[in-house]
Amino acid sequence: MSGASSKRILRSTAAAAAAGAVAFAPLAPLAQESGAPLDPITIRIGANSEFTRIEFAGVIGARSRVRREGDQVIVRIGSTAAPDVSRLKVDPPKGVEKVETRAVQGATELVLTLADGADARSGSADGAVYLNLYAEAPPAPSGAAGPAAAAVPVVAQASADKVSLAFRWPNAVGAAVFRRGEAVWIVFDTPARLDLSGATQLGPASDVHWSAGRDHVAVRVAAPAGAPVSATAEGATWTVTIGGAPVAVEGVRIDRDETGKPVLVAHMAGATKAVWLTDPLVGDRFAAVTALAPGKGFADRRRTVDLGLLPTAHGLAVETAATDLAVHADGDLVTLSRPGGLTLSSPSAGLDAAPAGDGFPAQARHPGLILTEWAEVGHAGFPARYRQLQNAAAAEAMKAGDDPRAPVEARFAFARFLVGSGLGYEAIGVLNAIVAKAPNMAGEPELRGLRGAARASIGRFDEAQGDFASAAVAGDPASAVWRGYMASARGDHVAARQAFAAGARAVDAFPAAWRARFGAAHALSALETGDLDAARALLAYSFSHEAPAADQLTARLVQARLFELDGQTDRALTLYTVIGRAPMDAIAVPARLAVVRLSLAKGAMKPADAASALESLRWRWRGDATELAVIRQLGQLYLSQGLYREALTALKGAGPGLYRLEGAADIQADLASAFRMLFLEGGADGLQPVQALGLFYDFRELTPIGADGDEMVRRLARRLVDVELLDQAAELLKYQVDNRLDGVAKAQVATDLATVYLMDRQPEAALQAIWTSRTTLLPTALNAERRALEARALAGLGRYDHALEVLGADASPEAREVRAEVLWKQEKWSEAAALYEARLGDRFKDPAALTPDEEAQVIRAGVGYSLGRDQGALARLSRNYRPFIAGARSKPALSVALDAGAGEGASASDFAALAASADTFAGWVATMKSELRQKTGGNRPAAPARPQAAAAAPARPAA
């Protein structure tokens, strides 16, 4: 190994020790696996008596990632060209049993299998990722927590859009929490081991890694770039939340040194230390300054020639390209300096605002605040003032060119004037142009606040929400007022009240018109959350300010709602009627909706007239909570009139664009409830089956998942079977079997499907339904039913022997019925006749008239005994059932069948017409319809009782 290489190894070692690696003696050279340091992948190896060190450097090597899987350490190198690690394979380091490389998608992985008792530690230093390999696991670093008992537990609570990580320290520690690119960094000022076993679910985050140094612990969490970050402490527990709503914290103030030295001083109570870290992905150094609770952060993103300050949820984060920048924490002050002084003279350094031009609108003390004086135009009037500020902004932009650090005060002044004058669209254009020229300005609090206010003032709430969710304005009370205003407009009144409370100290600084608007919006949210006293007080506050007519009517609309809740319906109706005449649809439509609602309740309006009025309102104002309210009222009105299709169509009219609103869930609940009422609770039973089927198909996407949805389909199929719409019933059931069901549920519905197919004389389709739904552990009764259906289908195809094989020794009523049919078709007359007579049991003892099915069985038994020349059995049958001839529906047929002498010398053809009249299939169809009704009426019953039913056969493998 060359002397230069040894020096680089030693420098890496010293840097790693400073970053918290285990101290060790200078490395003795062992091998070097790569070429010059400028190679994309440079692998260096050194060893001492305690461990072997492998470094991965270079443009690609420095971005390697290390993970542990059991006894394997896996280094992922972002190149498909595998590095030369032949020396490692030939002579593995101590504690390593085997070294392998493998190709993965877009990268190469180096896999080191550790021997028993061996250990590995990884980290990064001096632009390289290192791996320390120990033949025996080393003790924990000095000052770190002891083995298992002292590990700091980390517990995660995650949802789809938020995750909270609770670090449960035994004692109070300082912390720094901030975002850097697509990762959130959490740094503590105390060394320890972290126990991440309770943080497996990370919600919107995707990955978490930690490393311990001699004086700190650093955690890196990969998280979406737009997710807000907040940090709070309760006792010794620090909780870091990624996602959700940002939490306002005390701001850290940055000033020049009072002595005039080129030094910056941050005023941060409880600052503990500065920790220098290296980003494992980028490879650059930055400093995190930790501080004790309570939370305090730096909301801005500022940059000087020498350094950059990142927005933080707690503590400070300093980026720099300078190698000699000093960051020193001393009590409540943090100083940032360089040996030759910081470069702070240029106003474009960003920490000192450029002085305002003569007569320019001044910056507000809060980023999201609008000042009354911004709209002042002086004696020359609006056009002259507009041109003056526009020309100054244009001249500044032309002079700046593409310099991202050029002054922007004239352009900001123009934007303030536009926002103050109510020209939101124009203000957005000016502010977007600033960001296009200087992307770093996107982190400026005033730009976020101004642009958010402009967007919110013109109703572009989604875009405004993005501005006000920025960490730059997380602690701004004026921005909190805007968040409350938008939440109230969207119907999220709980969030609105919380936001208005957070911004209470800034409301009175807004112009009078905006104070009136905010007061009315806050009053509405107080009213909707049940705080009527607060609503009255806020309305009085709103009315006390001079506001445009439209804003006064908005407040009156809230007042009418308050009257309604107070029980003063007549007074409320009068006020709603007056407001409904306004030429502004945004105000008139909700007022007219209230008039319809109250008039219906009082009986002063007919439902048909109310429906007509609501239909017109539905198309008059679109896109917000008012449209949702109109749709919901219209749907409920149609349902109450039995106009089911109209109701479902109206409720379904709330398109995807409204799903983000607070009331959208209520619309979906109404749709689900209406569909359930129609097809599960009998609401659609009054419709013709074809109408019910059409309604179901048109809205079938509302069918719930699970047992309720399956029951809906089976109920509808039963109605279709009743009116002989067998094809349609089979289609419904087949969709369930093919797409929605598994296991026992699939077997049950497939059994019904096979029954319908057999009713429709489609034995092949019935067999497919049975065969494709086979499963184990079916109830005994269901197994018997499926065997009988399978045998009936096989008999329908002329496969009589196979049908009897399927039935086997099954003596259930269903099996005996099918067996009789098969024997009849095989012309085994005596055997079939005996089964028909056995099915009748002791029916002859009941003097009541025979049912059509019973008559058919008596006729077939008589004919069978005649053709089988069994005169004794025929005589017995004739003796038992001749008394029923007088009340029979088919007297001649029954009389001939029971005639003991009719069969002498007769052939099957002689009885063909008589046997045809005894149609047992029709009786079976009627029985199946009855059973389907029972199945859709609740729990699936066991096989229905039959006359003199034999004991069920033992359980057999599923059919």
Side-chain angles (χ1 to χ4, degrees):
M1 181 181 289
S2 67
S5 297
S6 298
K7 291 179 181 178
R8 285 197 297 271
I9 294 286
L10 291 173
R11 283 201 302 270
S12 299
T13 301
V22 179
F24 54 88
L27 295 178
L30 174 67
Q32 182 170 337
E33 297 289 346
S34 69
L38 296 179
D39 288 347
I41 305 173
T42 300
I43 301 179
R44 297 187 290 262
I45 305 173
N48 64 7
S49 59
E50 296 180 7
F51 63 86
T52 300
R53 184 188 190 91
I54 306 175
E55 287 190 351
F56 302 87
V59 177
I60 296 176
R63 300 185 181 182
S64 302
R65 294 187 179 183
V66 182
R67 71 180 190 273
R68 181 76 174 266
E69 294 182 0
D71 63 348
Q72 291 185 332
V73 178
I74 301 171
V75 183
R76 184 183 179 94
I77 303 171
S79 171
T80 55
D84 180 11
V85 293
S86 56
R87 291 294 299 275
L88 274 176
K89 291 183 177 181
V90 171
D91 186 15
K94 293 180 180 180
V96 177
E97 289 187 343
K98 185 171 55 174
V99 178
E100 302 172 289
T101 58
R102 64 190 183 197
V104 295
Q105 185 173 4
T108 301
E109 289 186 344
L110 177 63
V111 183
L112 294 88
T113 303
L114 301 180
D116 291 341
D119 197 8
R121 304 281 173 83
S122 63
S124 58
D126 288 351
V129 174
Y130 66 84
L131 183 64
N132 291 344
L133 301 168
Y134 300 84
E136 295 182 3
S142 175
V152 176
V154 183
V155 179
Q157 291 185 343
S159 62
D161 60 349
K162 182 173 74 172
V163 61
S164 294
L165 298 171
F167 297 82
R168 298 176 176 174
W169 289 87
N171 302 301
V173 297
V177 181
F178 52 93
R179 173 181 288 283
R180 195 165 189 263
E182 295 185 355
V184 174
W185 286 82
I186 307 164
V187 183
F188 298 107
D189 63 2
T190 303
R193 292 169 51 253
L194 300 184
D195 178 8
L196 295 176
S197 60
T200 56
Q201 300 298 322
L202 298 177
S206 59
D207 197 9
V208 57
H209 289 284
W210 68 276
S211 62
R214 291 183 300 174
D215 61 349
H216 72 277
V217 173
V219 183
R220 185 182 186 276
V221 184
V229 182
S230 59
T232 58
E234 183 175 346
T237 298
W238 277 98
T239 301
V240 177
T241 302
I242 302 172
V247 177
V249 295
E250 176 187 347
V252 175
R253 191 174 83 254
I254 308 290
D255 295 322
R256 293 173 183 261
D257 186 69
E258 295 179 354
T259 63
K261 295 179 181 178
V263 172
L264 291 177
V265 179
H267 300 265
M268 184 168 69
T272 58
K273 68 175 61 170
V275 178
W276 285 95
L277 302 164
T278 300
D279 193 313
L281 296 184
V282 181
D284 61 341
R285 295 173 68 243
F286 61 95
V289 185
T290 57
L292 299 172
K296 56 189 73 70
F298 186 66
D300 300 347
R301 180 186 293 272
R302 299 294 175 87
R303 182 166 294 280
T304 71
V305 173
D306 304 302
L307 59 91
L309 294 171
L310 301 177
T312 63
H314 181 77
L316 284 178
V318 185
E319 294 180 327
T320 182
T323 59
D324 57 357
L325 179 72
V327 182
H328 180 65
D330 184 11
D332 294 344
L333 300 179
V334 180
T335 58
L336 297 92
S337 62
R338 294 184 68 183
L342 297 177
T343 305
L344 298 175
S345 57
S346 172
S348 65
L351 293 171
D352 298 312
D358 186 22
F360 279 12
Q363 180 179 356
R365 67 176 182 273
H366 299 305
L369 185 62
I370 298 176
L371 299 181
T372 304
E373 53 265 32
W374 285 356
E376 294 178 356
V377 296
H379 299 294
F382 178 85
R385 179 64 167 167
Y386 184 95
R387 284 194 298 272
Q388 175 199 10
L389 295 173
Q390 183 186 43
N391 292 339
E396 181 185 77
M398 184 174 295
K399 183 178 179 180
D402 293 328
D403 182 4
R405 300 188 178 190
V408 292
E409 182 55 30
R411 285 171 280 177
F412 266 100
F414 186 34
R416 294 175 198 132
F417 170 73
L418 294 172
V419 172
S421 302
L423 300 175
Y425 291 99
E426 292 82 354
I428 294 170
V430 172
L431 294 168
N432 284 343
I434 293 175
V435 175
K437 290 287 186 181
N440 61 300
M441 293 301 295
E444 284 295 315
E446 186 184 10
L447 188 139
R448 288 288 195 174
L450 272 178
R451 190 169 64 181
R455 286 169 166 171
S457 67
I458 59 176
R460 291 163 68 167
F461 293 152
D462 287 341
E463 298 175 14
Q465 188 66 37
D467 280 321
F468 290 128
S470 169
V473 293
D476 174 33
S479 297
V481 175
W482 286 108
R483 285 195 289 268
Y485 178 69
M486 294 187 296
S488 179
R490 285 174 161 172
D492 191 355
H493 298 293
V494 173
R497 296 211 69 189
Q498 293 172 347
F500 276 129
R505 61 191 174 95
V507 172
D508 287 332
F510 280 88
W514 277 110
R515 293 199 294 271
R517 291 168 191 154
F518 293 147
H522 196 175
L524 175 61
S525 294
L527 182 150
E528 294 295 342
T529 53
D531 193 349
L532 302 188
D533 291 336
R536 294 186 187 94
L538 288 164
L539 277 176
Y541 173 85
S542 180
F543 290 140
S544 67
H545 297 92
E546 295 183 5
D551 298 304
Q552 293 182 30
L553 285 175
T554 300
R556 293 297 177 189
L557 192 61
V558 180
Q559 185 182 40
R561 176 69 175 147
L562 186 59
F563 287 154
E564 185 181 347
L565 292 178
D566 280 337
Q568 304 178 55
T569 53
D570 291 338
R571 191 175 181 186
L573 184 58
T574 301
L575 189 52
Y576 280 135
T577 303
V578 172
I579 299 172
R581 298 183 185 131
M584 294 163 288
D585 286 345
I587 300 169
V589 170
R592 292 192 178 189
L593 171 62
V595 169
V596 172
R597 178 167 42 79
L598 289 181
S599 299
L600 269 175
K602 294 168 68 71
M605 179 179 285
K606 295 180 180 179
D609 296 333
S612 177
L614 290 172
E615 284 285 4
S616 64
L617 292 179
R618 178 184 171 192
W619 304 108
R620 185 169 172 180
W621 185 254
R622 308 294 305 275
D624 61 9
T626 298
E627 182 185 359
L628 283 179
V630 172
I631 288 173
R632 193 175 188 200
Q633 183 74 38
L634 184 60
Q636 292 172 346
L637 181 61
Y638 280 141
L639 281 175
S640 67
Q641 295 179 279
L643 301 173
Y644 302 131
R645 179 175 292 278
E646 291 81 354
L648 293 176
T649 301
L651 291 172
K652 200 176 172 184
L658 300 179
Y659 290 164
R660 57 184 170 77
L661 299 179
E662 191 70 15
D666 295 331
I667 292 286
Q668 294 304 309
D670 286 350
L671 265 172
S673 178
F675 199 76
R676 180 185 180 89
M677 180 274 295
L678 287 170
F679 294 104
L680 193 60
E681 298 173 2
D685 288 354
L687 299 176
Q688 293 294 332
V690 174
Q691 292 178 312
L693 180 64
L695 189 62
F696 181 86
Y697 271 129
D698 288 345
F699 298 95
R700 69 187 303 169
E701 70 275 7
L702 300 176
T703 307
I705 299 297
D708 284 350
D710 301 333
E711 183 66 15
M712 287 181 184
V713 172
R714 295 174 71 184
R715 282 174 176 268
L716 184 56
R718 185 265 300 169
R719 294 195 63 202
L720 296 172
V721 168
D722 281 347
V723 294
E724 302 298 329
L725 294 175
L726 300 178
D727 287 342
Q728 291 81 352
E731 183 181 351
L732 273 179
L733 295 172
K734 189 174 188 304
Y735 181 85
Q736 296 294 102
V737 170
D738 292 344
N739 299 285
R740 290 172 57 92
L741 301 174
D742 288 301
V744 176
K746 179 175 182 177
Q748 287 178 323
V749 178
T751 303
D752 295 344
L753 175 60
T755 302
V756 174
Y757 278 139
L758 286 174
M759 290 181 183
D760 201 25
R761 300 183 186 274
Q762 298 185 51
E764 279 194 43
L767 280 178
Q768 288 300 316
I770 293 293
W771 289 345
T772 58
S773 61
R774 295 183 188 276
T775 186
T776 57
L777 303 178
L778 290 179
T780 300
L782 181 59
N783 258 335
E785 184 179 358
R786 288 168 61 85
R787 277 195 298 273
L789 290 173
E790 183 178 0
R792 188 178 290 276
L794 289 169
L797 294 172
R799 298 164 62 181
Y800 303 128
D801 291 338
H802 289 164
L804 293 176
E805 286 177 5
V806 168
L807 293 175
D810 190 349
S812 64
E814 294 92 340
R816 293 166 66 192
E817 181 178 354
V818 178
R819 189 177 286 110
E821 294 291 323
V822 172
L823 292 173
W824 182 269
K825 292 180 179 179
Q826 288 182 311
E827 298 186 1
K828 296 180 179 180
W829 309 115
S830 294
E831 296 176 56
L835 286 175
Y836 285 126
E837 184 181 11
R839 287 185 58 204
L840 290 168
D842 292 335
R843 177 63 180 86
F844 62 90
K845 296 179 180 179
D846 183 357
L850 298 174
T851 65
D853 187 41
E854 291 169 341
E855 282 188 21
Q857 293 177 44
V858 173
I859 293 172
R860 285 211 170 184
V863 171
Y865 286 139
S866 295
L867 293 175
R869 305 294 190 268
D870 191 345
Q871 295 300 318
L874 180 59
R876 181 184 67 250
L877 184 71
S878 178
R879 183 172 61 252
N880 290 338
Y881 288 97
R882 185 164 292 280
F884 293 92
I885 294 177
R889 294 170 176 79
S890 304
K891 292 180 183 180
L894 189 60
S895 177
V896 172
L898 295 176
D899 186 354
E904 293 183 5
S907 65
S909 59
D910 297 328
F911 284 102
L914 184 61
S917 68
D919 187 3
T920 56
F921 179 77
W924 176 80
V925 169
T927 302
M928 290 300 102
K929 286 183 178 179
S930 176
E931 290 188 10
L932 285 175
R933 293 190 196 99
Q934 293 177 21
K935 291 176 185 177
T936 55
N939 294 330
R940 189 181 183 92
R946 305 286 180 97
Q948 199 172 339
R956 294 179 47 175

